[in-house]
Amino acid sequence: QAEVRFSKAQTGGAHPEVDTAALLGLARSYISGNRPQRAIETIDRYVERYPAGSSLSDAYFLQAEAFMQQGDWSRAVQTYEQYAQINPGLIDSYLWERTGDAHLANANYPAAAEAFDLALASDRSGNLNFLLLDKAQALGLAGDLSQAVALYDLVSSKTKYDTTRAQMDYLRGQIATQLGEPESASLYFQHATENYPTAYYSYLSLVELVTAGIKVNELQRGLIDFHAAQYLPAIQAFDH
């Protein structure tokens, strides 16, 4: 068992590098085993014994992850900040992302939107649409629906995936519904159903249209139901 091996590997201070590595390994194993409190206590022991340890920032990151697992969102944010103070600029985008996740889980939506914005502004390679969606979600929950829609528009224009385009249609339709604009909502839902029949969000859009009593082409309806594994409704639609 990993926890036993890491515990036995400690040398009681005779070899600090071995001890710090063992403590970090032990904390990781506790997190993997969904035992965040033990991980937190292990990192506390690390910080107490080796406050100038070469991997102190790694220790803080693990402890922040343990706080996240525990649902202690405020302490998670504080501990991510401790990592950033020791290693500024190294993984700032990811730290801001995790900070945004913590604020979002804690229902502090404006702070979450700001954190995701900082994650987007920090150096990071690859497709960042997921961060745009995180920010849009936070903005929407904070009540800034127009900015959320603007970000959904941006993601829709940038993505190369039909599944994402269908998702953006559905989310914009949901916001239009929330704003009391049923005609705009139906246009978004119809666009999804007419253009992306294999996407699950098109099925969700179909449900919205049917619920609102808006007619949908039966062949298209059957295709969407089929791809959503709704086989009986698909057969019924094809039979029309």
Side-chain angles (χ1 to χ4, degrees):
Q1 191 179 24
E3 293 169 13
V4 174
R5 291 199 302 272
F6 286 124
S7 295
K8 288 183 177 179
Q10 296 176 61
T11 68
H15 301 285
E17 291 186 3
V18 174
D19 286 349
T20 55
L23 286 168
L24 292 181
L26 187 59
R28 288 191 188 94
S29 68
Y30 284 138
I31 292 171
S32 296
N34 197 29
R35 301 170 70 187
Q37 185 57 40
R38 295 298 299 272
I40 292 164
E41 292 167 355
T42 300
I43 297 303
D44 283 341
R45 200 156 64 244
Y46 177 110
V47 174
E48 180 183 355
R49 294 179 185 175
Y50 306 103
S54 60
S55 50
L56 181 62
S57 60
D58 294 336
Y60 281 132
F61 183 84
L62 285 174
Q63 192 171 54
E65 290 291 292
F67 283 130
M68 290 285 280
Q69 193 176 78
Q70 197 175 55
D72 193 339
W73 314 119
S74 296
R75 293 188 71 184
V77 168
Q78 294 169 4
T79 313
Y80 285 129
E81 289 174 355
Q82 286 179 290
Y83 177 100
Q85 290 170 3
I86 297 172
N87 267 338
L90 188 62
I91 57 169
D92 283 2
S93 180
Y94 185 68
L95 291 174
W96 283 119
E97 179 191 349
R98 294 299 283 156
T99 298
D101 291 339
H103 284 311
L104 196 63
N106 201 30
N108 188 347
Y109 304 126
E114 182 180 358
F116 291 132
D117 191 51
L118 289 167
L120 285 160
S122 302
D123 185 41
R124 189 157 178 174
S125 60
N127 187 337
L128 299 182
N129 279 347
F130 69 96
L131 284 176
L132 291 171
L133 293 179
D134 286 341
K135 182 182 175 183
Q137 180 188 12
L139 287 169
L141 290 168
D144 194 344
L145 300 180
S146 62
Q147 285 299 311
V149 169
L151 288 177
Y152 292 142
D153 288 343
L154 179 60
V155 172
S156 185
S157 68
K158 290 178 61 173
T159 187
K160 60 182 180 180
Y161 301 110
D162 284 350
T163 52
T164 303
R165 294 188 184 100
Q167 181 185 8
M168 296 307 98
D169 281 340
Y170 177 76
L171 292 174
R172 287 178 291 185
Q174 288 291 307
I175 288 180
T177 300
Q178 190 176 343
L179 289 171
E181 300 172 358
E183 291 183 2
S184 294
S186 65
L187 289 175
Y188 283 122
F189 296 142
Q190 286 170 329
H191 188 266
T193 58
E194 290 169 4
N195 292 279
Y196 319 117
T198 64
Y200 184 71
Y201 278 97
S202 294
Y203 171 73
L204 296 181
S205 290
L206 173 63
V207 171
E208 294 291 338
L209 292 171
V210 171
T211 301
I214 297 173
K215 186 173 178 58
V216 180
N217 177 276
E218 291 296 336
L219 175 59
Q220 199 73 356
R221 181 173 177 172
L223 287 171
I224 293 168
D225 281 331
F226 174 79
H227 287 290
Q230 302 297 313
Y231 300 121
L232 181 58
I235 292 170
Q236 292 171 339
F238 288 139
D239 283 344
H240 272 72

